[in-house]
Amino acid sequence: SSGINAEWPLRPGVLRTETPPAVTCVDKELNGYVGFANLPNQVFRKSVKRGFEFTLMVVGATGLGKSTLINSLFLSSIYEDEKYPVAGTPNKTVKVQNSTVYLVEGGVSLKLTLVDTPGFGDAINNTKCWKPILEYIDSKYEEYLNAEGHVNRSTVVDNRVHCCLYFISPGHGLKPLDIEFMKQLHEKVNIVPVIGKADTLTPEECVEFKANVMKEIEFHDIKIYQFPIDEFDEEEEAQDLQAQLPFAVVGSNTMLDINGKKLRGRMYPWGIAEVENPDHCDFIFLRNLLIRTHMQDLKDVTNNVLYENFRCNKLAAVTSVSLDSKLASSNRNPLAQFEIKKKKVPTATLR
């Protein structure tokens, strides 16, 4: 083709030191329909047939409305009403429980795995209460890494945690437990901070509380999920979502009939807090982030950044151990190495 030197390939006995000429790329207009413009449709059909997977972890103290919010997000009774005992002792240890539900919308199936952490922050002494959560996230990375080493990798199941909703109690700022938890996990999972029970704050208190939380997150160098901005995204939309952090949300399993219109909300003597009203809470912004606009990006960041960091550290540790063992064996004198090999040989074969 034009732009390529036909005499460039080396002939026997000829040595060339100059660099090869650059290949020129020219955009060509097609005279008719070829068909590769249909590739996105092929990918779409294949993806819909295979279905999608997403793992969402919710962490926070008891009573912040985690279960109610999940039901509101997916418009389904994923978490049934729980009956609490009248009296009992609180959990002394944090438990990690996961449940899987299959949701179908418009012919698209979603395998949603919810990871709950009952007992988090409920004990008197919460020292290292995040350890079971950290171990769970690492164990899922470990499972995926082992599955990638199998001969048949087409059946690899992705159970890695793609997003962690961390619920913050409404107040004046972050608690020491909030700071320590996010510092321990911000390099393992995408953390999205959420203010639970936001209807207990006035609009002015909510704005001030959000500002205080973000200042503390920045001060402690905590890396929460960052909304991607590229040439295909709306920059203003991403900036608007980033400005709403942390999301102040209200959840409700109750459908109210207001002037013939059905809506989710909480009714109080002084008025109604509507779940899907952006003037009342940030539920719409959170739902758009998790489901409508950034679900795939959360999975991509998990796979390309967080998991790759875990994988590199794991493989580097294995390589370091093997090198240390080789170095140690090479430093032994020949007699010592002969004695070690002699012990490994069964006595019956010794002459």
Side-chain angles (χ1 to χ4, degrees), residues 43-319:
V43 175
F44 171 77
R45 288 194 298 268
K46 192 172 182 180
S47 299
V48 170
K49 184 178 179 180
R50 184 172 57 245
F52 299 89
E53 303 168 333
F54 190 73
T55 301
L56 177 64
M57 173 180 280
V58 287
V59 181
T62 303
L64 290 179
K66 302 187 296 294
S67 303
T68 305
L69 179 67
I70 296 301
N71 290 342
S72 302
L73 280 172
F74 295 95
L75 298 178
S76 179
S77 298
I78 297 174
Y79 284 108
E80 301 293 341
D81 294 337
E82 297 179 293
K83 296 181 180 180
Y84 297 96
V86 178
T89 57
N91 293 326
K92 294 183 180 180
T93 58
V94 178
K95 298 179 181 178
V96 180
Q97 302 174 347
N98 62 340
S99 57
T100 302
V101 293
Y102 292 87
L103 305 175
V104 180
E105 180 186 37
V108 179
S109 61
L110 173 66
K111 176 189 174 185
L112 176 66
T113 302
L114 296 170
V115 184
D116 200 358
T117 56
F120 179 83
D122 295 341
I124 298 175
N125 183 5
N126 290 306
T127 304
K128 295 186 178 180
C129 63
W130 57 81
K131 192 174 180 181
I133 301 172
L134 185 62
E135 291 174 349
Y136 178 87
I137 295 174
D138 281 344
S139 69
K140 296 306 173 183
Y141 283 149
E142 187 78 35
E143 288 179 8
Y144 194 85
L145 180 61
N146 294 335
E148 280 190 323
H150 294 166
V151 175
N152 184 10
R153 296 188 298 173
S154 61
T155 58
V156 175
V157 180
D158 186 7
N159 289 323
R160 297 169 295 181
V161 180
H162 303 116
C163 179
C164 173
L165 295 182
Y166 184 71
F167 283 73
I168 303 169
S169 301
H172 300 287
L174 293 175
K175 298 177 181 177
L177 177 60
D178 301 331
I179 297 171
E180 195 59 34
F181 173 84
M182 289 191 281
K183 287 176 68 175
Q184 292 291 331
L185 272 76
H186 67 160
E187 293 184 349
K188 297 287 186 179
V189 67
N190 295 304
I191 297 178
V192 177
V194 174
I195 302 172
K197 302 281 189 181
D199 50 342
T200 61
L201 300 171
T202 64
E204 294 77 14
E205 290 173 341
C206 188
V207 172
E208 183 180 359
F209 183 50
K210 280 187 173 188
N212 292 339
V213 169
M214 292 307 295
K215 284 180 182 178
E216 293 187 61
I217 287 176
E218 186 176 354
F219 176 79
H220 293 282
D221 197 22
I222 297 171
K223 301 178 183 66
I224 60 175
Y225 175 71
Q226 298 293 321
F227 296 91
I229 299 176
D230 56 34
E231 57 183 351
F232 301 106
D233 289 332
E234 295 287 343
E235 185 173 351
E236 293 184 0
E237 180 183 353
Q239 290 177 348
D240 289 343
L241 284 172
Q242 197 73 35
Q244 296 297 329
L245 290 172
F247 296 111
V249 297
V250 178
S252 175
N253 294 330
T254 306
M255 298 296 296
L256 303 176
D257 189 351
I258 307 299
N259 298 326
K261 183 180 179 181
K262 297 284 186 179
L263 53 87
R264 284 180 181 255
R266 292 182 176 273
M267 183 174 291
Y268 298 100
W270 54 87
I272 299 172
E274 299 179 21
V275 172
E276 298 184 5
N277 189 337
D279 294 329
H280 294 181
C281 70
D282 298 330
F283 175 83
I284 291 291
F285 299 107
L286 178 61
R287 185 178 65 185
N288 290 343
L289 160 71
L290 285 179
I291 304 172
R292 299 185 178 179
T293 59
H294 290 79
M295 177 181 281
Q296 186 59 46
D297 185 71
L298 287 165
K299 297 178 66 174
D300 291 342
V301 172
T302 300
N303 183 68
N304 301 334
V305 180
L306 303 174
Y307 169 69
E308 282 301 316
N309 290 339
F310 172 86
R311 178 176 171 272
C312 290
N313 293 335
K314 199 76 175 176
L315 296 180
V318 172
T319 306

